[in-house]
Amino acid sequence: MHVVELTEPGIFEHRERPRPAPGPNEVLVEIRHVGICGSDVHYYELGRIGDYVVTDPLVLGHESAGVVAEVGRDVDHLDSGDRVALEPGVPCGECAQCRSGTYNLCPDVEFMATPPDDGAFAEYVAWDADFAYRLPDGVSTRSGALCEPLSVALHATRRAAIDLGETVLVTGAGPIGAMVVKTARAAGAGDILVSDVVPSKLDRAREMGATETINVSERSLEAAIDDITGGDGVDVVVEASGATPAIAATTTVVRRGGTVVCIGLSGDDEIPIATNELVDKELDFRGSFRFRNTYPDAISLLERGVIDVEDIIDFEMPMADLTAAFERAQEPDVVKGMVAVGSE
Ligand SMILES: NC(=O)C1=CN([C@@H]2O[C@H](COP(=O)(O)OP(=O)(O)OC[C@H]3O[C@@H](n4cnc5c(N)ncnc54)[C@H](O)[C@@H]3O)[C@@H](O)[C@H]2O)C=CC1
Ligand SMILES: CC(=O)[C@H](N)C(=O)O
């Protein structure tokens, strides 16, 4: 089968590998669509993310969906021909986190496209059938692939426990921030404010449901939120930029008794947080890491038309042009690039 390996920063090589055989609890999936995530781009550019270093050729891509080509001996809930979205992290199932249900925190998770685990820029992937979710008619593999970033947003929205009518600030209008706008709206948020430094991304966020946008390269986030909320602050902040100034401002722009949920990962190891504000304002300050138990709900939201993910996609290119796709994905206006591995 055909795969694309990242062999060194900036270099993709198209290679042939033996087609994998599914294990007893696995399905062999003919991959159709794979979204390009910021972390893929990071590995492509730099060959590492923090302590995760690409030392051997690595297949990138973890936002994937395709068609079941073969089922393992013990799989009885999927059949050949089913279209499926693949949850990219398969946890060990035995550690304390897995046993208590917080399987997204499993230290031994096998996560696609994270060294040393290969991802989905490949004709076929053999994957644990419990982490392959059937897509109903009407949900394409193109949308199904985006269950992954949608899941990141769904999990963060749950961590934020947004109440009906609450004012939510989303910092960062990349793919994750855009998805949070959609999940916050679906959760019943009232005003949804979005900040970014790229005007076109703020325009896109408005089209997706943001009620007001703030270009923080023109005005400070703190001053803007002060103006908009009459000095009260927002009910909930979901940080989805990873930008140090945005993270540092979260405790200031949230109201007393409000909630901050951080998704963004900063390049800085340490960021000053006003801890006295945490106490004095009695804030709930929470992290949100990947997702758990989100795929069935993400698929249901897509099926019922509550959330549309197609509008975050800027372009689709074939896997044969993966280098060009990754170069294009780095353009500042691009929110999401999609790669077609086969045809649906
Ligand atoms: N916690 C988790 O499980 C996950 C975390 N992430 C992290 O979440 C963050 C967002 O992911 P993506 O949307 O893919 O990243 P992205 O880099 O595509 O988007 C970030 C956005 O923030 C904007 N930005 C830059 N400076 C800003 C500022 N000062 N204020 C507001 N916006 C600003 C950028 O213009 C960009 O539109 C990244 O840090 C990523 O590493 C991504 C996926 C999962
Ligand atoms: C941080 C990422 O972008 C990636 N989705 C991951 O969960 O590792």
Side-chain angles (χ1 to χ4, degrees):
M1 67 165 184
H2 193 74
V3 302
V4 183
E5 294 175 347
L6 180 73
T7 53
E8 51 186 287
I11 306 290
F12 280 134
E13 292 201 16
H14 292 252
R15 295 248 168 92
E16 292 299 315
R17 285 190 188 178
R19 181 169 146 168
N25 294 307
E26 288 185 333
V27 280
L28 181 70
V29 177
E30 191 179 338
I31 300 295
R32 291 288 165 86
H33 282 101
V34 185
I36 301 175
C37 171
S39 62
D40 294 319
V41 173
H42 227 79
Y43 281 123
Y44 171 74
E45 275 188 293
L46 305 172
R48 67 182 305 152
I49 296 181
D51 292 342
Y52 291 99
V53 182
V54 182
T55 48
D56 295 313
L58 182 73
V59 178
L60 294 177
H62 61 265
E63 302 175 354
S64 70
V67 181
V68 175
E70 223 179 299
V71 293
R73 190 189 57 219
D74 297 337
V75 177
D76 49 19
H77 68 288
L78 290 170
D79 288 313
S80 293
D82 284 345
R83 294 168 324 106
V84 289
L86 298 184
E87 182 171 348
V90 177
C92 76
E94 287 169 7
C95 69
Q97 297 290 352
C98 286
R99 283 177 185 276
S100 65
T102 50
Y103 71 83
N104 58 317
L105 304 179
C106 170
D108 294 320
V109 66
E110 179 189 339
F111 203 91
M112 282 187 187
T114 305
D117 300 318
D118 281 327
F121 288 122
E123 265 183 287
Y124 293 94
V125 167
W127 203 242
D128 190 317
D130 289 337
F131 293 85
Y133 300 84
R134 187 187 291 110
L135 294 172
D137 293 345
V139 179
S140 65
T141 52
R142 192 172 131 104
S143 290
L146 297 184
C147 283
E148 203 273 353
L150 177 55
S151 285
V152 172
L154 206 49
H155 184 58
T157 300
R158 287 178 173 155
R159 299 275 296 153
I162 295 169
D163 211 348
L164 291 178
E166 282 192 322
T167 297
V168 177
L169 167 67
V170 183
T171 50
I176 299 298
M179 289 290 191
V180 174
V181 169
K182 292 165 183 286
T183 52
R185 196 177 53 173
D191 285 335
I192 302 176
L193 320 174
V194 176
S195 66
D196 204 292
V197 291
V198 180
S200 64
K201 286 184 170 166
L202 292 171
D203 293 343
R204 295 274 292 278
R206 253 193 310 274
E207 286 161 19
M208 293 176 198
T211 50
E212 197 152 351
T213 55
I214 303 153
N215 184 340
V216 290
S217 62
E218 290 174 352
R219 61 201 285 228
S220 92
L221 184 65
E222 291 88 336
I225 296 301
D226 220 40
D227 274 358
I228 294 167
T229 65
D232 289 341
V234 297
D235 298 307
V236 174
V237 181
V238 181
E239 203 307 296
S241 73
T244 296
I247 297 169
T250 53
T251 54
T252 305
V253 296
V254 70
R255 70 161 162 82
R256 294 173 72 83
T259 302
V260 176
V261 171
C262 290
I263 307 174
L265 294 160
S266 167
D268 295 326
D269 286 339
E270 290 179 15
I271 295 174
I273 293 288
T275 52
N276 283 351
E277 273 183 328
L278 285 183
V279 177
D280 183 61
K281 293 169 88 171
E282 202 175 70
L283 301 180
D284 282 328
F285 192 91
R286 324 184 92 189
S288 185
F289 185 63
R290 293 177 176 159
F291 36 79
R292 53 177 177 262
N293 305 313
T294 50
Y295 266 64
D297 295 324
I299 291 168
S300 165
L301 288 165
L302 295 176
E303 183 183 19
R304 290 181 291 116
V306 176
I307 286 181
D308 168 39
V309 288
E310 289 280 326
D311 59 353
I312 80 160
I313 301 171
D314 297 273
F315 66 87
E316 178 174 318
M317 291 170 80
M319 192 166 77
D321 299 334
L322 201 61
T323 300
F326 268 63
E327 292 299 326
R328 187 149 168 212
Q330 292 174 62
E331 290 171 12
D333 283 357
V334 168
V335 176
K336 176 62 66 183
M338 179 60 67
V339 174
V341 179
S343 57
E344 194 169 30

